Amino acid sequence: PLRPGTHITSAARAPPFPPFPPFLSPTMSASPFDGPSSPTPESPRSPPPSSALRHTPSKGTPRVVRKPVIVEEEPYDFPAEKMLPESDTQPNDLLVACGSFSPITFMHLRMFETARDYLVNERKYHVAGGLMSPVHDEYNKVGLASSAHRLYMCQVAVQTSSWVSVDPWECQQAGYTRTLLVLRRMRDAIQELGWKKTRILMLCGVDILQSFVKPGVWIDSHI
């Protein structure tokens, strides 16, 4: 605890938060602590229903006509800025965690560190990097926060990590994407960028492992 009159110096302050994801609606809150906000007609995730665009009011009520908002797509760059060059003498791996991250927890971060420690120290592998891929809003999990908040929380959580990044690609898609397709896209992306010998290793918790045996959750060929 600080004594009365003690001030926190600039050196003791936490690093600044990363910028709010630019491809998301500017009408949504930039704070990850507000909780999932109700979609508005201006939000790109919730286009207004046809009934809201052309409303026939009762007599004496002013007519309201809402114009649809055109949302421009933001350019996407694969987050490879923290990845290490491939090793010529060791197997190369990229650790990827797909999930809701609603919210991200210390155990998510610990999972990355534990996996890398095992691969490097026990298996003598070279870990080129780590990626988090938050799931799309249409995953429809109960209590799932909006992708805007989940992406922002993940970016804040890994901003001081030297090797883990956040990939927004899955959240930017038009709908939900199966996990295997997300992993295949990452494999193709890193190969195009020069990581020809690096394989994708999926990190997951017990909840995902248990879902592998639940009927109807996964496609058999994807497992």
Coordinates of all heavy atoms in Angstrom, one line a residue, residues 34-65:
D34 N -16.7 -2.9 -20.1 CA -18.1 -2.4 -20.1 C -19.0 -3.6 -20.2 O -20.2 -3.4 -20.0 CB -18.3 -1.5 -21.3 CG -17.6 -0.2 -21.1 OD1 -17.2 0.2 -19.9 OD2 -17.3 0.5 -22.1
G35 N -18.5 -4.8 -20.6 CA -19.4 -5.9 -20.9 C -20.0 -5.8 -22.3 O -19.8 -4.8 -23.0
P36 N -20.6 -6.9 -22.8 CA -21.1 -6.9 -24.2 C -22.2 -5.9 -24.3 O -23.2 -5.9 -23.5 CB -21.6 -8.3 -24.4 CG -21.8 -8.8 -23.0 CD -20.8 -8.1 -22.1
S37 N -22.1 -4.9 -25.2 CA -23.1 -3.9 -25.4 C -24.1 -4.4 -26.4 O -23.9 -5.3 -27.2 CB -22.4 -2.6 -26.0 OG -21.8 -2.9 -27.2
S38 N -25.3 -3.8 -26.3 CA -26.4 -4.2 -27.2 C -26.1 -3.7 -28.6 O -25.7 -2.5 -28.7 CB -27.7 -3.6 -26.7 OG -28.0 -4.1 -25.4
P39 N -26.2 -4.5 -29.6 CA -25.9 -4.1 -31.0 C -26.8 -2.9 -31.3 O -28.0 -2.9 -30.9 CB -26.2 -5.3 -31.8 CG -26.2 -6.5 -30.9 CD -26.6 -5.9 -29.6
T40 N -26.3 -2.0 -32.1 CA -27.1 -0.9 -32.6 C -27.2 -1.0 -34.1 O -26.5 -1.7 -34.7 CB -26.3 0.5 -32.3 OG1 -25.1 0.5 -33.0 CG2 -26.1 0.6 -30.8
P41 N -28.2 -0.3 -34.7 CA -28.4 -0.4 -36.1 C -27.1 0.1 -36.9 O -27.0 -0.2 -38.0 CB -29.6 0.6 -36.4 CG -30.3 0.6 -35.1 CD -29.3 0.5 -34.0
E42 N -26.3 0.9 -36.2 CA -25.1 1.4 -36.9 C -23.9 0.3 -36.8 O -22.9 0.5 -37.4 CB -24.6 2.7 -36.2 CG -25.5 3.9 -36.5 CD -26.7 3.8 -35.6 OE1 -26.7 3.1 -34.6 OE2 -27.7 4.5 -35.9
S43 N -24.1 -0.8 -36.0 CA -23.1 -1.8 -35.9 C -23.0 -2.7 -37.1 O -24.0 -3.1 -37.6 CB -23.3 -2.6 -34.6 OG -22.5 -3.7 -34.6
P44 N -21.8 -3.0 -37.6 CA -21.7 -3.8 -38.8 C -22.1 -5.3 -38.5 O -22.4 -6.0 -39.4 CB -20.2 -3.8 -39.2 CG -19.5 -3.4 -37.9 CD -20.5 -2.5 -37.2
R45 N -22.2 -5.7 -37.2 CA -22.6 -7.0 -36.8 C -24.1 -7.2 -36.8 O -24.6 -8.3 -36.8 CB -22.1 -7.4 -35.5 CG -20.6 -7.4 -35.4 CD -20.1 -8.0 -34.1 NE -20.6 -7.3 -32.9 CZ -21.5 -7.7 -32.1 NH1 -22.1 -8.8 -32.4 NH2 -21.9 -7.0 -31.1
S46 N -24.9 -6.1 -36.8 CA -26.3 -6.3 -36.7 C -27.0 -5.3 -37.7 O -27.4 -4.2 -37.3 CB -26.7 -6.0 -35.3 OG -26.3 -4.7 -34.9
P47 N -27.1 -5.7 -38.9 CA -27.8 -4.8 -39.9 C -29.3 -4.6 -39.5 O -29.9 -5.6 -38.9 CB -27.7 -5.6 -41.2 CG -27.5 -7.0 -40.8 CD -26.7 -6.9 -39.5
P48 N -29.8 -3.4 -39.6 CA -31.2 -3.2 -39.2 C -32.2 -4.0 -39.9 O -32.0 -4.3 -41.1 CB -31.4 -1.7 -39.4 CG -30.4 -1.4 -40.5 CD -29.2 -2.3 -40.2
P49 N -33.2 -4.5 -39.3 CA -34.3 -5.3 -40.0 C -35.0 -4.4 -41.0 O -35.0 -3.2 -40.9 CB -35.2 -5.8 -38.9 CG -35.0 -4.8 -37.8 CD -33.5 -4.4 -37.9
S50 N -35.6 -5.1 -41.9 CA -36.4 -4.3 -43.0 C -37.5 -3.5 -42.3 O -37.8 -2.4 -42.8 CB -36.9 -5.3 -44.0 OG -37.8 -6.2 -43.4
S51 N -38.0 -4.0 -41.2 CA -39.1 -3.2 -40.6 C -38.6 -1.9 -40.0 O -39.3 -0.9 -39.9 CB -39.7 -4.0 -39.5 OG -38.8 -4.4 -38.5
A52 N -37.3 -1.9 -39.7 CA -36.7 -0.7 -39.1 C -36.3 0.4 -40.2 O -36.2 1.5 -39.9 CB -35.5 -1.0 -38.2
L53 N -36.1 -0.1 -41.4 CA -35.7 0.8 -42.5 C -36.9 1.5 -43.0 O -36.8 2.7 -43.4 CB -35.1 0.0 -43.6 CG -33.7 -0.7 -43.3 CD1 -33.3 -1.5 -44.5 CD2 -32.7 0.4 -42.9
R54 N -38.1 0.9 -43.0 CA -39.2 1.6 -43.6 C -40.4 1.3 -42.7 O -41.0 0.2 -42.6 CB -39.5 1.1 -45.0 CG -40.4 2.0 -45.8 CD -40.3 1.7 -47.3 NE -39.1 2.1 -47.9 CZ -38.9 3.4 -48.3 NH1 -39.9 4.3 -48.1 NH2 -37.8 3.8 -49.0
H55 N -40.7 2.3 -41.8 CA -41.7 2.1 -40.8 C -43.0 2.9 -41.2 O -42.9 4.1 -41.5 CB -41.2 2.6 -39.4 CG -42.2 2.7 -38.3 ND1 -42.9 1.6 -37.9 CD2 -42.7 3.7 -37.6 CE1 -43.7 1.9 -37.0 NE2 -43.6 3.2 -36.7
T56 N -44.1 2.3 -41.1 CA -45.4 3.0 -41.3 C -46.0 3.4 -40.0 O -46.6 2.6 -39.3 CB -46.4 2.1 -42.1 OG1 -45.7 1.6 -43.3 CG2 -47.6 2.9 -42.4
P57 N -45.9 4.7 -39.6 CA -46.3 5.1 -38.3 C -47.9 5.3 -38.3 O -48.5 5.4 -39.4 CB -45.6 6.4 -38.1 CG -45.4 7.0 -39.5 CD -45.3 5.8 -40.4
S58 N -48.4 5.4 -37.1 CA -49.8 5.7 -37.0 C -50.0 7.2 -37.2 O -49.1 8.0 -37.3 CB -50.3 5.4 -35.6 OG -49.5 6.1 -34.6
K59 N -51.2 7.6 -37.4 CA -51.6 9.0 -37.7 C -51.1 9.9 -36.6 O -51.3 9.7 -35.5 CB -53.1 9.1 -37.9 CG -53.5 10.5 -38.4 CD -55.0 10.6 -38.6 CE -55.4 11.9 -39.1 NZ -56.9 12.0 -39.3
G60 N -50.4 11.0 -37.1 CA -49.9 12.0 -36.2 C -48.5 11.7 -35.7 O -47.9 12.5 -35.0
T61 N -47.9 10.5 -36.0 CA -46.5 10.1 -35.6 C -45.6 10.4 -36.7 O -45.8 10.0 -37.9 CB -46.4 8.6 -35.2 OG1 -47.4 8.4 -34.2 CG2 -45.0 8.3 -34.7
P62 N -44.5 11.2 -36.5 CA -43.5 11.5 -37.6 C -42.9 10.2 -38.1 O -42.6 9.3 -37.3 CB -42.5 12.4 -36.9 CG -42.6 12.1 -35.4 CD -44.1 11.8 -35.2
R63 N -42.6 10.1 -39.4 CA -42.0 9.0 -40.0 C -40.5 9.0 -39.8 O -39.9 10.0 -40.0 CB -42.4 8.9 -41.5 CG -41.9 7.7 -42.2 CD -42.3 7.8 -43.7 NE -41.8 6.6 -44.4 CZ -41.9 6.5 -45.7 NH1 -42.4 7.4 -46.4 NH2 -41.4 5.4 -46.3
V64 N -40.0 7.8 -39.5 CA -38.5 7.7 -39.3 C -38.0 6.7 -40.3 O -38.5 5.6 -40.4 CB -38.2 7.2 -37.9 CG1 -36.7 7.0 -37.7 CG2 -38.7 8.2 -36.8
V65 N -37.0 7.2 -41.1 CA -36.4 6.3 -42.1 C -34.9 6.3 -41.8 O -34.2 7.3 -41.8 CB -36.6 6.8 -43.5 CG1 -35.9 6.0 -44.5 CG2 -38.1 6.9 -43.8

